[in-house]
Amino acid sequence: MESTIQPQDVAKKPAVGDADFTKTGNNLLLKFHALMRMSRTYDSKNEALAQFLQESFRMINSFIEREGGFSLKIIRDDLYMNQQRLRYSVEGFNSFKYLLVQWKKRFIGEVIFKETVDERMLRVFIYTLVDLEEGGEGNATRFNETMRQEGISAIQVNPLETFEGEDGLYSVRKGDLKEVAKKIFFETIGTVKEVVTQIRGDQRADVRKLKRLAQKMIHLMMEDESILLGLTTIKNYDEYTYNHSVNVSIYALAIGRRLGFSRETLTELGLTALFHDVGKSKIPIEVLNKPGALDEKEWGLMKQHPMAGVETVLNLKQLGEVNPRMVIGIFDHHLKYNLTGYPTLHHKKEASLFGRILQIIDAYDAMTTPRVYKKVPFTLEQTLAIMQKESGIHFDPILLKVFVSLVGVFPIGSLILLDSGEVGIVYKANSDPKWIHRPQVILLTKDGKEEETTVVDLSETNQDGHFKWSIVKALDPNQYHVDVAKYFL
Ligand SMILES: [Fe+2]
Ligand SMILES: [Fe+2]
């Protein structure tokens, strides 16, 4: 049995704030990712590599000087930096994934930098790591032996730990579809951001790329709808507008499927949803992110965003990808079912189908997401209750019914109390419509804090024919401090 190196010098709690910790962590991941990839293409004397090594070791050292050490450890499918779980950013996702897969393949579970390093040490570290044989059981020992021979005592590694119910190396592959979904989800957020930035800077925006992503989402939906729906619980506060557009498109597609739309119409609907708030790129950021209530002038600006969106879309270079249905959908998304919303109409017309779909999901996602001016959002159940009151006023009553049946009595991502006293998270709708109120649920322990992920099916019965579990009521995740999104990542 190999002995495990203890990170004695590594501080337990970060000296920096949470947001800073995430940012630094993600920057470090990007560096390690780039270094590993470069070392596979360049030889160790390469000029570009040398420069990158210098940038990297400075960044690592400044972290070590501040925190007293640096460690990166794999626990299941998460990375822990200095014993704190690292949340990855949209930009950091690929690096996160890359390191996880590459280290797992080599059975390396933890890398520890006990003290500051120099360029040579970092170079030896990277090349030794990359050269380790995939699937080599004794890799950690071999690695530490090389470091000893090279006279490097600052860097050491520990072997990968496996956990019950996981087969180590391949655990990443098991959830393939989920991984693909995550990748598409984050890529779409990134692309919406790119497109909005291009539009703000009066540059050409790449609509085709978004269209391809919308098509990929549709494909995934056909395979397994609940994966993408689960990802909408992430609610990324910093990237609100982009994250919101992607969430709206996921729900729009799910409704579109229930309405029997063709793939082509679904693509149009998905794209309309991704673009619905593009007009906001014309509104000053101070107004968009204003914590307090908007004054009359600011509100006036805000109300222009559907029309600004229409203009933007009509000015796109790839206009061939746009059709009138999409343009009208964007125009209508705040109009409300009874036309009392904005823009003000001079000639009354009916709100379009795309518009009416967007009205519902747009409101739903906005109400369930924390915002600068409302830090604690409504729970899913509160939101549905509020929306029900607006049926026939703000929302098309029939479409609202379709939407409610989609998210269920207990929507995916709800925190619930079971009659067993256990707390759970609704994970997946029951495939049998008869059991709509008996979804699949992730069980948490009684205090709701344990990181266990046992999934149970509420339609399961005991030998005597009684249901094993039933839902008692919904709980407020904010009150219970449960990070629901984490269970969908
Ligand atoms: Fe909007
Ligand atoms: Fe919106």
Short mmCIF file of all heavy atoms in Angstrom, two decimals, residues 64-98:
data_model
loop_
_atom_site.label_atom_id
_atom_site.label_comp_id
_atom_site.label_asym_id
_atom_site.label_seq_id
_atom_site.Cartn_x
_atom_site.Cartn_y
_atom_site.Cartn_z
N ILE A 64 0.83 30.41 -3.33
CA ILE A 64 1.46 29.67 -2.22
C ILE A 64 1.92 30.62 -1.12
O ILE A 64 1.72 30.35 0.07
CB ILE A 64 2.67 28.84 -2.75
CG1 ILE A 64 2.17 27.75 -3.69
CG2 ILE A 64 3.46 28.23 -1.59
CD1 ILE A 64 3.26 26.97 -4.40
N GLU A 65 2.47 31.77 -1.53
CA GLU A 65 2.92 32.73 -0.53
C GLU A 65 1.76 33.23 0.32
O GLU A 65 1.88 33.44 1.52
CB GLU A 65 3.63 33.91 -1.21
CG GLU A 65 5.10 33.61 -1.44
CD GLU A 65 5.70 34.43 -2.58
OE1 GLU A 65 5.07 35.43 -2.99
OE2 GLU A 65 6.79 34.05 -3.05
N ARG A 66 0.62 33.40 -0.32
CA ARG A 66 -0.53 33.93 0.40
C ARG A 66 -1.19 32.86 1.27
O ARG A 66 -1.61 33.11 2.39
CB ARG A 66 -1.54 34.46 -0.62
CG ARG A 66 -2.50 35.46 -0.04
CD ARG A 66 -3.39 36.01 -1.12
NE ARG A 66 -4.07 34.94 -1.83
CZ ARG A 66 -4.50 35.05 -3.09
NH1 ARG A 66 -4.31 36.15 -3.77
NH2 ARG A 66 -5.12 34.03 -3.66
N GLU A 67 -1.28 31.63 0.73
CA GLU A 67 -2.07 30.59 1.40
C GLU A 67 -1.22 29.59 2.19
O GLU A 67 -1.76 28.74 2.87
CB GLU A 67 -2.90 29.82 0.37
CG GLU A 67 -3.82 30.69 -0.49
CD GLU A 67 -5.02 31.22 0.29
OE1 GLU A 67 -5.44 30.56 1.25
OE2 GLU A 67 -5.52 32.30 -0.07
N GLY A 68 0.09 29.65 2.02
CA GLY A 68 0.96 28.73 2.74
C GLY A 68 1.16 27.40 2.04
O GLY A 68 1.82 26.50 2.57
N GLY A 69 0.59 27.23 0.87
CA GLY A 69 0.75 25.98 0.13
C GLY A 69 -0.34 25.89 -0.93
O GLY A 69 -1.25 26.72 -0.97
N PHE A 70 -0.23 24.88 -1.79
CA PHE A 70 -1.24 24.70 -2.82
C PHE A 70 -1.49 23.21 -3.01
O PHE A 70 -0.56 22.43 -3.14
CB PHE A 70 -0.74 25.31 -4.14
CG PHE A 70 -1.55 24.91 -5.34
CD1 PHE A 70 -2.80 25.49 -5.58
CD2 PHE A 70 -1.10 23.94 -6.23
CE1 PHE A 70 -3.56 25.11 -6.67
CE2 PHE A 70 -1.85 23.55 -7.33
CZ PHE A 70 -3.08 24.14 -7.55
N SER A 71 -2.74 22.81 -2.96
CA SER A 71 -3.04 21.42 -3.27
C SER A 71 -4.30 21.36 -4.11
O SER A 71 -5.19 22.20 -3.99
CB SER A 71 -3.24 20.61 -1.99
OG SER A 71 -4.48 20.94 -1.40
N LEU A 72 -4.32 20.40 -5.00
CA LEU A 72 -5.48 20.20 -5.85
C LEU A 72 -5.81 18.72 -5.79
O LEU A 72 -4.98 17.87 -6.11
CB LEU A 72 -5.12 20.61 -7.29
CG LEU A 72 -6.27 20.95 -8.23
CD1 LEU A 72 -7.14 22.06 -7.65
CD2 LEU A 72 -5.71 21.41 -9.58
N LYS A 73 -7.02 18.42 -5.30
CA LYS A 73 -7.36 17.02 -5.07
C LYS A 73 -8.66 16.65 -5.77
O LYS A 73 -9.61 17.43 -5.77
CB LYS A 73 -7.49 16.79 -3.56
CG LYS A 73 -7.80 15.36 -3.20
CD LYS A 73 -7.78 15.12 -1.71
CE LYS A 73 -7.95 13.62 -1.46
NZ LYS A 73 -7.81 13.25 -0.07
N ILE A 74 -8.66 15.45 -6.32
CA ILE A 74 -9.89 14.95 -6.94
C ILE A 74 -10.67 14.13 -5.91
O ILE A 74 -10.14 13.20 -5.32
CB ILE A 74 -9.58 14.02 -8.14
CG1 ILE A 74 -8.84 14.80 -9.23
CG2 ILE A 74 -10.85 13.38 -8.68
CD1 ILE A 74 -8.42 13.93 -10.41
N ILE A 75 -11.91 14.53 -5.67
CA ILE A 75 -12.79 13.70 -4.87
C ILE A 75 -14.02 13.43 -5.72
O ILE A 75 -14.73 14.36 -6.09
CB ILE A 75 -13.17 14.37 -3.53
CG1 ILE A 75 -11.91 14.59 -2.69
CG2 ILE A 75 -14.20 13.52 -2.78
CD1 ILE A 75 -12.15 15.25 -1.36
N ARG A 76 -14.21 12.19 -6.06
CA ARG A 76 -15.23 11.80 -7.04
C ARG A 76 -15.06 12.64 -8.31
O ARG A 76 -14.00 12.60 -8.90
CB ARG A 76 -16.63 11.95 -6.45
CG ARG A 76 -16.88 10.99 -5.31
CD ARG A 76 -18.35 10.85 -5.00
NE ARG A 76 -18.54 9.81 -4.02
CZ ARG A 76 -18.52 10.02 -2.71
NH1 ARG A 76 -18.34 11.23 -2.23
NH2 ARG A 76 -18.68 9.02 -1.88
N ASP A 77 -16.08 13.43 -8.67
CA ASP A 77 -15.95 14.22 -9.88
C ASP A 77 -15.76 15.70 -9.57
O ASP A 77 -16.08 16.56 -10.38
CB ASP A 77 -17.17 14.01 -10.79
CG ASP A 77 -17.08 12.68 -11.52
OD1 ASP A 77 -15.96 12.11 -11.56
OD2 ASP A 77 -18.09 12.20 -12.03
N ASP A 78 -15.24 15.97 -8.38
CA ASP A 78 -15.00 17.37 -8.01
C ASP A 78 -13.52 17.61 -7.78
O ASP A 78 -12.78 16.70 -7.45
CB ASP A 78 -15.74 17.70 -6.71
CG ASP A 78 -17.21 17.94 -6.95
OD1 ASP A 78 -17.53 18.58 -7.96
OD2 ASP A 78 -18.04 17.47 -6.14
N LEU A 79 -13.13 18.87 -7.91
CA LEU A 79 -11.76 19.25 -7.57
C LEU A 79 -11.79 20.10 -6.31
O LEU A 79 -12.62 21.00 -6.18
CB LEU A 79 -11.13 20.06 -8.72
CG LEU A 79 -10.62 19.28 -9.92
CD1 LEU A 79 -10.17 20.22 -11.02
CD2 LEU A 79 -9.45 18.37 -9.52
N TYR A 80 -10.89 19.80 -5.39
CA TYR A 80 -10.78 20.57 -4.17
C TYR A 80 -9.43 21.27 -4.16
O TYR A 80 -8.40 20.62 -4.27
CB TYR A 80 -10.88 19.65 -2.93
CG TYR A 80 -12.30 19.24 -2.64
CD1 TYR A 80 -12.96 18.33 -3.47
CD2 TYR A 80 -12.99 19.76 -1.54
CE1 TYR A 80 -14.26 17.96 -3.21
CE2 TYR A 80 -14.30 19.39 -1.27
CZ TYR A 80 -14.93 18.50 -2.12
OH TYR A 80 -16.23 18.14 -1.87
N MET A 81 -9.46 22.59 -4.06
CA MET A 81 -8.21 23.33 -3.97
C MET A 81 -8.03 23.70 -2.51
O MET A 81 -8.94 24.25 -1.89
CB MET A 81 -8.28 24.59 -4.85
CG MET A 81 -6.97 25.35 -4.86
SD MET A 81 -6.92 26.60 -6.18
CE MET A 81 -7.89 27.91 -5.43
N ASN A 82 -6.88 23.37 -1.95
CA ASN A 82 -6.64 23.57 -0.52
C ASN A 82 -7.84 23.14 0.31
O ASN A 82 -8.32 23.87 1.18
CB ASN A 82 -6.27 25.03 -0.23
CG ASN A 82 -4.86 25.34 -0.70
OD1 ASN A 82 -4.31 24.62 -1.52
ND2 ASN A 82 -4.26 26.38 -0.18
N GLN A 83 -8.34 21.99 -0.01
CA GLN A 83 -9.43 21.35 0.74
C GLN A 83 -10.77 22.05 0.67
O GLN A 83 -11.68 21.78 1.44
CB GLN A 83 -9.02 21.12 2.20
CG GLN A 83 -7.81 20.20 2.28
CD GLN A 83 -7.21 20.15 3.65
OE1 GLN A 83 -7.91 20.17 4.64
NE2 GLN A 83 -5.90 20.07 3.71
N GLN A 84 -10.88 22.97 -0.28
CA GLN A 84 -12.20 23.60 -0.47
C GLN A 84 -12.67 23.29 -1.88
O GLN A 84 -11.90 23.42 -2.84
CB GLN A 84 -12.09 25.11 -0.27
CG GLN A 84 -13.46 25.72 -0.09
CD GLN A 84 -13.41 27.23 -0.03
OE1 GLN A 84 -12.37 27.83 0.22
NE2 GLN A 84 -14.54 27.87 -0.27
N ARG A 85 -13.93 22.89 -2.00
CA ARG A 85 -14.42 22.52 -3.33
C ARG A 85 -14.38 23.72 -4.26
O ARG A 85 -14.79 24.81 -3.89
CB ARG A 85 -15.85 21.99 -3.27
CG ARG A 85 -16.28 21.38 -4.61
CD ARG A 85 -17.59 20.63 -4.47
NE ARG A 85 -18.71 21.55 -4.54
CZ ARG A 85 -19.39 21.81 -5.67
NH1 ARG A 85 -19.06 21.23 -6.79
NH2 ARG A 85 -20.40 22.65 -5.66
N LEU A 86 -13.86 23.45 -5.43
CA LEU A 86 -13.71 24.52 -6.41
C LEU A 86 -14.92 24.54 -7.32
O LEU A 86 -15.25 23.56 -7.97
CB LEU A 86 -12.44 24.23 -7.22
CG LEU A 86 -11.79 25.36 -7.98
CD1 LEU A 86 -11.51 26.55 -7.08
CD2 LEU A 86 -10.50 24.87 -8.61
N ARG A 87 -15.57 25.70 -7.36
CA ARG A 87 -16.67 25.86 -8.32
C ARG A 87 -16.04 26.35 -9.60
O ARG A 87 -15.21 27.24 -9.55
CB ARG A 87 -17.63 26.93 -7.83
CG ARG A 87 -18.45 26.49 -6.66
CD ARG A 87 -19.35 27.64 -6.22
NE ARG A 87 -20.55 27.11 -5.63
CZ ARG A 87 -21.63 26.76 -6.33
NH1 ARG A 87 -21.66 26.94 -7.63
NH2 ARG A 87 -22.68 26.26 -5.73
N TYR A 88 -16.45 25.77 -10.74
CA TYR A 88 -15.81 26.25 -11.95
C TYR A 88 -16.65 27.30 -12.64
O TYR A 88 -17.86 27.32 -12.55
CB TYR A 88 -15.45 25.11 -12.89
CG TYR A 88 -16.57 24.15 -13.15
CD1 TYR A 88 -17.53 24.44 -14.08
CD2 TYR A 88 -16.64 22.96 -12.45
CE1 TYR A 88 -18.56 23.55 -14.32
CE2 TYR A 88 -17.66 22.07 -12.68
CZ TYR A 88 -18.62 22.38 -13.61
OH TYR A 88 -19.64 21.53 -13.84
N SER A 89 -15.97 28.19 -13.33
CA SER A 89 -16.66 29.24 -14.07
C SER A 89 -16.96 28.71 -15.47
O SER A 89 -16.52 27.64 -15.85
CB SER A 89 -15.77 30.47 -14.16
OG SER A 89 -14.61 30.14 -14.88
N VAL A 90 -17.74 29.49 -16.21
CA VAL A 90 -18.08 29.10 -17.58
C VAL A 90 -16.79 28.90 -18.38
O VAL A 90 -16.60 27.91 -19.08
CB VAL A 90 -18.96 30.16 -18.25
CG1 VAL A 90 -19.19 29.83 -19.71
CG2 VAL A 90 -20.28 30.27 -17.52
N GLU A 91 -15.86 29.85 -18.22
CA GLU A 91 -14.59 29.77 -18.96
C GLU A 91 -13.74 28.61 -18.46
O GLU A 91 -12.95 28.05 -19.20
CB GLU A 91 -13.78 31.07 -18.82
CG GLU A 91 -14.40 32.28 -19.48
CD GLU A 91 -15.47 32.94 -18.61
OE1 GLU A 91 -15.66 32.50 -17.46
OE2 GLU A 91 -16.11 33.90 -19.10
N GLY A 92 -13.87 28.29 -17.18
CA GLY A 92 -13.00 27.28 -16.59
C GLY A 92 -13.46 25.85 -16.82
O GLY A 92 -12.74 24.91 -16.50
N PHE A 93 -14.65 25.68 -17.37
CA PHE A 93 -15.22 24.33 -17.44
C PHE A 93 -14.36 23.33 -18.21
O PHE A 93 -14.14 22.21 -17.77
CB PHE A 93 -16.63 24.37 -18.05
CG PHE A 93 -17.25 23.01 -18.19
CD1 PHE A 93 -17.60 22.29 -17.05
CD2 PHE A 93 -17.44 22.43 -19.42
CE1 PHE A 93 -18.14 21.02 -17.16
CE2 PHE A 93 -17.98 21.16 -19.54
CZ PHE A 93 -18.33 20.46 -18.41
N ASN A 94 -13.86 23.75 -19.37
CA ASN A 94 -13.05 22.84 -20.18
C ASN A 94 -11.78 22.40 -19.47
O ASN A 94 -11.40 21.24 -19.54
CB ASN A 94 -12.69 23.47 -21.52
CG ASN A 94 -13.84 23.34 -22.49
OD1 ASN A 94 -14.64 22.41 -22.39
ND2 ASN A 94 -13.95 24.27 -23.42
N SER A 95 -11.14 23.34 -18.77
CA SER A 95 -9.90 23.02 -18.05
C SER A 95 -10.21 22.06 -16.91
O SER A 95 -9.49 21.10 -16.66
CB SER A 95 -9.28 24.28 -17.46
OG SER A 95 -9.12 25.23 -18.47
N PHE A 96 -11.28 22.34 -16.23
CA PHE A 96 -11.74 21.51 -15.12
C PHE A 96 -11.89 20.07 -15.60
O PHE A 96 -11.36 19.12 -15.03
CB PHE A 96 -13.08 22.08 -14.65
CG PHE A 96 -13.75 21.33 -13.56
CD1 PHE A 96 -13.56 21.69 -12.24
CD2 PHE A 96 -14.61 20.27 -13.85
CE1 PHE A 96 -14.20 21.01 -11.22
CE2 PHE A 96 -15.24 19.59 -12.84
CZ PHE A 96 -15.04 19.95 -11.52
N LYS A 97 -12.61 19.93 -16.69
CA LYS A 97 -12.89 18.62 -17.27
C LYS A 97 -11.59 17.93 -17.70
O LYS A 97 -11.39 16.74 -17.47
CB LYS A 97 -13.82 18.86 -18.46
CG LYS A 97 -14.39 17.65 -19.09
CD LYS A 97 -15.39 17.00 -18.17
CE LYS A 97 -15.51 15.53 -18.53
NZ LYS A 97 -15.74 15.31 -19.97
N TYR A 98 -10.74 18.69 -18.36
CA TYR A 98 -9.50 18.14 -18.89
C TYR A 98 -8.63 17.58 -17.77
O TYR A 98 -8.18 16.44 -17.82
CB TYR A 98 -8.75 19.23 -19.66
CG TYR A 98 -7.46 18.76 -20.30
CD1 TYR A 98 -7.47 18.19 -21.57
CD2 TYR A 98 -6.23 18.89 -19.65
CE1 TYR A 98 -6.29 17.75 -22.17
CE2 TYR A 98 -5.05 18.46 -20.24
CZ TYR A 98 -5.09 17.89 -21.50
OH TYR A 98 -3.92 17.46 -22.07
#
